[in-house]
Amino acid sequence: MPKCADLSHLSTHDLEAVAKALDRGLLAAHLTAGRLAAAGLAIDHKAVAAALADLPPEALAPVLQAALAERRAHRPRAELVWTGPEPAFSPTRSFGVRPSHGPYSTP
């Protein structure tokens, strides 16, 4: 039984690039740093080859897709937090309110 690939230290960009190259047929089984470089991928060739070296060829694409799906599921959401003082007025307006004068006013 092959060892479990540790993909935790690889960037999402690297995993996506290898998955796309496999899908397009640019990479063959038994990935090596040389084959990754020859495919023209802008990734950390040595780290990716070392992490995926022990996987059987038929497991490469499913393992990469599973790892990417897991990362997308746990991606932190952006949150906007205002820590400043409350302004006396707001320089913004609702798009539902039309101005009474100017180029966007109603006649």
Side-chain angles (χ1 to χ4, degrees), residues 69-83:
E70 187 72 18
R71 288 185 182 192
R72 285 185 206 107
H74 296 324
R75 184 177 299 159
R77 304 267 184 230
E79 186 176 331
L80 180 62
V81 178
W82 174 258
T83 59

Side-chain angles (χ1 to χ4, degrees), residues 31-80:
L31 298 180
T32 64
R35 287 183 179 165
L36 291 167
L41 301 178
I43 61 173
D44 184 350
H45 305 114
K46 290 180 183 179
V48 171
L52 300 175
D54 293 326
L55 285 176
E58 63 275 4
L60 283 173
V63 166
L64 289 172
Q65 293 304 324
L68 288 168
E70 187 72 18
R71 288 185 182 192
R72 285 185 206 107
H74 296 324
R75 184 177 299 159
R77 304 267 184 230
E79 186 176 331
L80 180 62

